[in-house]
């Protein structure tokens, strides 16, 4: 299935993304700005930042415990990763109130409603999706997000959180960034499920880049990008300080090279990426986890190629 990413198709042809963003009003056009950031301006960085945002949620025993209970992250980690990424990509690529966006949010809400999840944990996960891309780009991006872009990014995810039924979402970015830090100070603590889920995810992410026999070389690079409090909560050893400095220097060197290159001309759409999990495409309603009876009924449904 093909679909338009932007309301004005002519915008997809122009490479001057930062100038186009600057011409939009973040209070009204936050979805369009968020799409530009996601698909053009910072596409690789935002994907990596959201992966590390998920890592931060594994420092909360209540969250890792729920993930361990479903068994998905340990038995089918690639499918769980793809399903999460596709649901989030459907909403940002098509719009929160588009037909496909509404279907993706409904699927996500149906999964969450099967469990008793504390509102504060839901708000924390949402806050990581807001805060971590901003922090990642400050540290490793070819440039930071501008205040206008940060405001639009926040408003987009605030809108998503409202449609997920999350209560008490702050009205300002500064407030949720402060809340995010305070929540981690209070709730990060070690649990065995933290370690199990984080290890399963590290293996999955390394598999995107390295053969299995080289995982030993990639593990320290992942740990080098995690702060001491999170490493403690996951039961992971910190890497030597010199290795952290080398890893950060490599990312900053990449950022310097990117500043010399022309802007991206074609959008990078995660819904269009070939995935071994869904070689013939996917239906939004088939994504995620289901009860046993629901899973049996899903197998009888035909897949509509995306």
């Amino acid at each position: 299935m093909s679909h338009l990413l932007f309301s004005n198709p002519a915008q997809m042809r122009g490479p001057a993304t930062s100038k186009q963003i600057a011409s939009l009003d973040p209070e009204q056009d936050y979805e369009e700005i968020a799409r530009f950031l996601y698909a053009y301006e910072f596409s690789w960085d935002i994907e990596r930042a959201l992966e590390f945002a998920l890592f931060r949620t594994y420092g909360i025993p209540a969250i890792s415990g729920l993930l361990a209970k479903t068994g998905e992250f340990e038995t089918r980690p690639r499918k769980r990763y793809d399903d999460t990424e596709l649901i989030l990509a459907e909403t940002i690529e098509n719009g929160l109130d588009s037909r496909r966006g509404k279907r993706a949010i409904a699927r996500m809400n149906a999964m969450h409603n099967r469990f008793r999840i504390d509102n504060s944990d839901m708000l924390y996960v949402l806050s990581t999706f807001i805060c971590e891309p901003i922090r990642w780009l400050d540290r490793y991006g070819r440039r930071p997000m501008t205040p206008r872009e940060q405001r639009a990014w926040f408003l987009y995810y605030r809108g998503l959180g409202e449609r997920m039924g999350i209560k008490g979402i702050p009205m300002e970015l500064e407030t949720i960034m402060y809340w995010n830090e305070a929540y981690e100070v209070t709730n990060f603590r070690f649990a065995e499920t933290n370690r199990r889920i984080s290890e399963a995810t590290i293996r999955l992410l390394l598999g995107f880049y390295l053969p299995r026999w080289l995982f030993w070389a990639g593990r320290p690079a992942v740990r080098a990008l995690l702060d001491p409090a999170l490493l403690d909560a996951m039961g992971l050893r910190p890497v030597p300080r010199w290795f952290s400095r080398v890893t950060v220097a490599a990312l900053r060197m990449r950022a310097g090279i990117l500043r010399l290159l022309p802007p991206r001309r074609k959008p990078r759409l995660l819904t269009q990426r070939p995935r071994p999990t869904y070689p013939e495409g996917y239906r939004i309603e088939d994504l995620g986890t289901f009860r046993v009876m629901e899973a049996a009924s899903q197998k009888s449904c035909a897949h509509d190629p995306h």
Side-chain angles (χ1 to χ4, degrees):
M1 170 181 285
S2 62
H3 53 275
L4 293 178
L5 176 64
F6 298 107
S7 57
N8 179 3
Q11 290 179 319
M12 298 185 68
R13 297 195 295 267
T17 306
S18 59
K19 292 182 180 179
Q20 291 168 343
I21 292 174
S23 71
L24 298 172
D25 178 2
E27 302 299 323
Q28 303 294 326
D29 305 319
Y30 55 87
E31 287 196 65
E32 195 158 18
I33 293 172
R35 291 183 195 117
F36 268 128
L37 298 174
Y38 152 89
Y40 280 100
E41 194 75 348
F42 303 120
S43 57
W44 186 89
D45 290 274
I46 283 178
E47 185 180 7
R48 300 288 80 74
L50 291 177
E51 288 171 353
F52 279 89
L54 287 175
F55 266 112
R56 303 203 72 77
T57 69
Y58 306 156
I60 311 291
I63 296 174
S64 70
L66 177 60
L67 295 173
K69 182 179 179 180
T70 68
E72 291 289 312
F73 260 103
E74 294 174 284
T75 59
R76 297 191 296 174
R78 180 59 193 263
K79 183 180 186 303
R80 184 67 174 82
Y81 175 91
D82 283 346
D83 289 354
T84 300
E85 186 170 72
L86 286 169
I87 287 174
L88 293 174
E90 285 284 354
T91 62
I92 198 166
E93 290 182 19
N94 296 289
L96 294 170
D97 294 321
S98 68
R99 185 176 65 88
R100 294 191 69 86
K102 288 180 177 179
R103 288 167 60 192
I105 294 170
R107 179 78 277 273
M108 180 163 47
N109 289 342
M111 285 188 289
H112 292 160
N113 290 340
R114 290 171 48 203
F115 305 98
R116 297 184 64 178
I117 306 175
D118 190 86
N119 183 76
S120 61
D121 289 337
M122 294 280 285
L123 180 57
Y124 173 67
V125 175
L126 182 75
S127 75
T128 66
F129 293 166
I130 295 168
C131 300
E132 290 310 308
I134 293 172
R135 292 168 179 157
W136 176 281
L137 291 166
D138 280 344
R139 297 166 185 152
Y140 314 124
R142 63 181 180 82
R143 68 171 178 84
M145 281 193 197
T146 67
R148 293 167 61 88
E149 291 166 347
Q150 290 182 12
R151 176 67 178 171
W153 189 255
F154 163 70
L155 289 176
Y156 169 78
Y157 273 100
R158 191 177 194 283
L160 177 61
E162 289 173 341
R163 289 161 177 80
M164 293 170 63
I166 299 175
K167 308 299 182 185
I169 306 174
M171 297 296 294
E172 300 296 333
L173 172 62
E174 293 77 7
T175 306
I176 200 165
M177 293 191 80
Y178 176 82
W179 183 92
N180 168 272
E181 293 177 359
Y183 196 78
E184 291 182 349
V185 169
T186 302
N187 292 278
F188 271 3
R189 66 180 187 276
F190 174 75
E192 182 61 23
T193 52
N194 294 4
R195 187 194 62 77
R196 286 165 45 198
I197 298 300
S198 63
E199 287 285 3
T201 305
I202 289 172
R203 291 193 297 270
L204 170 68
L205 297 182
L206 291 176
F208 294 158
Y209 304 100
L210 299 171
R212 184 174 293 274
W213 62 273
L214 275 179
F215 280 11
W216 65 270
R219 288 177 187 276
V222 175
R223 299 203 310 273
L225 299 176
L226 304 177
D227 58 85
L230 182 56
L231 288 169
D232 285 347
M234 291 179 174
L236 301 177
R237 299 191 321 273
V239 298
R241 188 170 300 176
W242 67 264
F243 190 89
S244 292
R245 288 198 292 264
V246 169
T247 304
V248 170
L251 285 170
R252 289 178 176 166
M253 183 182 298
R254 169 188 171 271
I257 294 171
L258 287 177
R259 284 192 284 270
L260 302 175
L261 299 179
R264 175 180 291 275
R265 291 181 174 272
K266 294 183 179 180
R268 183 172 181 265
L269 305 179
L270 297 182
T271 60
Q272 303 301 316
R273 174 182 294 172
R275 297 173 187 268
T277 312
Y278 299 106
E280 299 179 1
Y282 64 90
R283 287 197 328 139
I284 292 172
E285 288 72 20
D286 291 340
L287 300 176
T289 59
F290 298 86
R291 293 185 178 91
V292 175
M293 293 300 293
E294 290 175 335
S297 66
Q298 290 297 315
K299 292 180 181 180
S300 64
C301 296
H303 289 264
D304 64 336
H306 180 76

